[in-house]
């Protein structure tokens, strides 16, 4: 069955082509910071720090009423930590995220051991749950905050070697941890997940889990099993969750997603025959799955923030930054073109 599938690979822009020149030197600089503790410690002194409290990022409201993650100057963070009674060593627990276009190293730091309100007051911001912050941040900032949270979570859950049970120690950048007994090196890990927008040529298929907020539907997704290809995982997940056999697959794009413990989302479109659209939903996996028209999807894409409690139920979609939203938007654009 799989050999007869048509797999279409899309030509995707390299991230470097979207940035100004200097990309190569920035990437080499970041790589050096990962390999050289002394350089990384020096970069931390002049870097920008994104603060988290128990994995919730610190957001500040701008003059225009929008939100941005607080990128604090390292020395300011040090002064705040001292004012709140923390010893100077906490700053060194910062984890390297990346380097800005202004060549400034960017770090994240979880100050969960300090009083949340006291830090918020000092920093003139608020720690906001990461899922909620995805609805408040622009496209460019959300991935940075997601990456920071994922790295911090990995460190918090990787303190011991899974082979020896001994403590692991991180390098200064936080790009790896080493077992103090066996020397085994651990790197931050992600689980591959396939996410697919299935279409029958006129409608697209969305599902919801019972844990989703009321009214939210998303593209079908599932973890890849050991030994599976992306295409095999996609066909299996669609068959398991809604009882359909897909006919063709095309790759769209990928994304790191910090939930539940860092997923590497591989986004695809797939089609089924219009004669074979009867759903057989596995209700242990999905609360509901339905076909949606272009009209329904177009109005759902207009919903910018989730409806508040008490407001009438409405179909809404994952935030703009989520790859599910990107796949649904791509489908809607193509569908509009084909119907015009
Ligand atoms: N960025 C985006 O736009 C979207 C992202 N997603 C992400 O995709 C992820 C996967 O989608 P979902 O439909 O839940 O996946 P699945 O359909 O694979 O179902 C999840 C279940 O799979 C089992 N499982 C298998 N391997 C893993 C693993 N490596 N890590 C965790 N659980 C595993 C778990 O079962 P058990 O608990 O029984 O062991 C889990 O409850 C979600 O966690 C979600 O965060 C989903 C939709 C949109
Ligand atoms: Mg699933």
């Amino acid at each position: 069955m799989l050999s007869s599938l048509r797999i279409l690979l899309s030509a995707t822009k390299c991230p470097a082509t979207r940035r100004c020149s200097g990309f190569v030197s920035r990437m080499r600089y970041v790589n050096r910071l990962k390999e050289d503790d002394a350089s990384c410690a020096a970069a931390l002194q002049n870097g920008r720090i994104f603060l988290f409290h128990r994995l919730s990022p610190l957001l500040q409201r701008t003059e225009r009423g929008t939100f941005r993650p607080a990128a604090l100057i390292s020395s300011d963070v040090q002064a705040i930590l001292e004012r709140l009674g923390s010893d100077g060593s906490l700053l060194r627990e910062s984890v390297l995220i990346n380097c800005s276009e202004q060549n400034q190293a960017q770090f994240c730091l979880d100050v969960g051991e300090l009083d949340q309100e006291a830090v918020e007051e000092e920093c003139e911001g608020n720690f906001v749950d990461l899922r909620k912050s995805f609805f408040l941040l622009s496209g460019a900032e959300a991935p940075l905050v997601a990456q920071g949270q994922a790295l911090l979570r990995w460190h918090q859950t990787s303190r011991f070697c899974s082979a020896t049970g001994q403590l692991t120690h991180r390098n200064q950048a936080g790009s790896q941890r080493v077992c103090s007994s066996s020397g085994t090196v651990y790197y931050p890990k992600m689980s591959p997940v396939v996410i697919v927008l299935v279409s029958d040529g006129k409608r697209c298929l969305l599902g919801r889990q019972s844990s989703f907020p009321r009214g939210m539907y998303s593209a079908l997704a599932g973890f890849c099993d050991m030994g599976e290809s992306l295409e095999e995982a996609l066909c299996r997940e669609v068959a398991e969750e809604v009882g359909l056999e897909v006919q063709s697959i095309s790759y769209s794009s990928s994304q790191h997603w910090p939930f539940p413990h860092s997923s590497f989302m591989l986004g695809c479109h797939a089609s089924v025959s219009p004669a074979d659209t009867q759903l057989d939903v596995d209700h242990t996996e999905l609360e509901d799955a339905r076909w949606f028209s272009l009209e329904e999807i177009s109005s759902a894409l207009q919903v910018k923030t989730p409806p508040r409690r008490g407001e009438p139920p409405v179909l809404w979609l994952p935030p703009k930054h989520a790859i599910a939203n990107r796949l649904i938007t791509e489908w809607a654009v193509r569908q509009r073109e084909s119907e015009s």
Side-chain angles (χ1 to χ4, degrees):
M1 186 272 287
L2 278 178
S3 58
S4 66
L5 286 174
R6 198 163 45 96
I7 313 286
L8 305 171
L9 277 173
S10 63
T12 307
K13 252 199 227 166
C14 168
T17 59
R18 285 193 260 114
R19 298 171 194 202
C20 59
S21 63
F23 178 76
V24 170
S25 61
R26 277 203 309 281
M27 293 307 104
R28 289 187 174 168
Y29 174 57
V30 171
N31 198 35
R32 195 164 69 248
L33 299 186
K34 289 180 186 170
E35 288 171 356
D36 180 355
D37 284 355
S39 301
C40 191
L44 178 59
Q45 297 309 313
N46 304 306
R48 291 273 174 175
I49 318 262
F50 293 91
L51 287 188
F52 289 73
H53 193 278
R54 301 198 180 145
L55 299 176
S56 292
L58 180 71
L59 304 190
Q60 288 173 327
R61 197 186 273 269
T62 67
E63 281 169 7
R64 285 181 290 134
T66 56
F67 289 86
R68 62 165 182 230
L72 304 172
I73 298 166
S74 179
S75 52
D76 289 350
V77 173
Q78 182 70 355
I80 291 167
L81 296 180
E82 282 164 16
R83 276 204 294 279
L84 296 179
S86 168
D87 71 25
S89 64
L90 184 57
L91 188 70
R92 284 185 72 95
E93 288 179 25
S94 303
V95 174
L96 178 69
I97 308 178
N98 209 329
C99 167
S100 71
E101 291 190 0
Q102 292 72 39
N103 287 316
Q104 206 165 24
Q106 298 162 313
F107 296 83
C108 51
L109 174 66
D110 197 307
V111 293
E113 64 193 60
L114 301 180
D115 179 66
Q116 179 177 334
E117 280 180 21
V119 184
E120 288 177 334
E121 204 171 303
E122 285 278 354
C123 301
E124 297 176 353
N126 287 98
F127 292 104
V128 180
D129 173 77
L130 185 62
R131 283 188 194 269
K132 280 196 194 135
S133 70
F134 280 170
F135 286 98
L136 301 173
L137 296 173
S138 78
E141 292 160 335
L144 200 64
V145 170
Q147 187 184 352
Q149 197 237 35
L151 284 165
L152 291 169
R153 184 194 294 278
W154 178 72
H155 281 284
Q156 289 172 12
T157 54
S158 308
R159 291 177 50 232
F160 297 96
C161 172
S162 56
T164 67
Q166 298 299 309
L167 277 172
T168 57
H169 296 289
R170 50 168 283 187
N171 61 347
Q172 183 55 52
S175 58
Q176 56 173 242
R177 297 188 74 93
V178 182
C179 172
S180 50
S181 161
S182 66
T184 308
V185 182
Y186 292 93
Y187 295 97
K189 73 172 195 302
M190 299 188 283
S191 301
V193 172
V194 61
I195 178 160
V196 55
L197 192 69
V198 179
S199 169
D200 70 351
K202 281 216 165 312
R203 301 168 299 171
C204 74
L205 179 62
L206 302 180
R208 56 171 277 113
Q209 296 178 6
S210 52
S211 57
F212 284 12
R214 194 168 59 113
M216 192 187 96
Y217 279 71
S218 184
L220 303 184
F223 290 93
C224 298
D225 282 346
M226 192 70 84
E228 264 181 342
S229 67
L230 167 64
E231 305 83 83
E232 287 166 341
L234 186 157
C235 293
R236 176 184 53 73
E237 280 294 333
V238 175
E240 275 177 15
E241 296 193 349
V242 294
L244 295 180
E245 280 190 35
V246 304
Q247 285 187 316
S248 70
I249 299 173
S250 64
Y251 172 75
S252 162
S253 48
S254 63
Q255 154 178 88
H256 165 259
W257 189 244
F259 312 110
H261 297 285
S262 271
S263 304
F264 182 53
M265 309 292 304
L266 296 149
C268 294
H269 292 274
S271 66
V272 295
S273 155
D276 186 18
T277 57
Q278 181 67 41
L279 302 179
D280 174 12
V281 178
D282 177 352
H283 289 289
T284 59
E285 301 225 12
L286 293 178
E287 183 183 82
D288 188 29
R290 280 192 230 165
W291 291 103
F292 289 91
S293 67
L294 176 59
E295 201 182 352
E296 289 171 298
I297 293 296
S298 299
S299 0
L301 285 168
Q302 300 302 315
V303 179
K304 297 294 174 229
T305 48
R308 295 209 184 96
R309 200 169 292 163
E311 286 180 355
V314 59
L315 169 68
W316 59 284
L317 304 169
K320 219 167 174 196
H321 157 62
I323 194 167
N325 188 301
R326 193 186 309 161
L327 293 172
I328 296 165
T329 305
E330 283 171 357
W331 177 82
V333 168
R334 270 189 230 148
Q335 201 61 24
R336 261 180 231 123
E337 282 168 6
S338 74
E339 289 184 16
S340 64

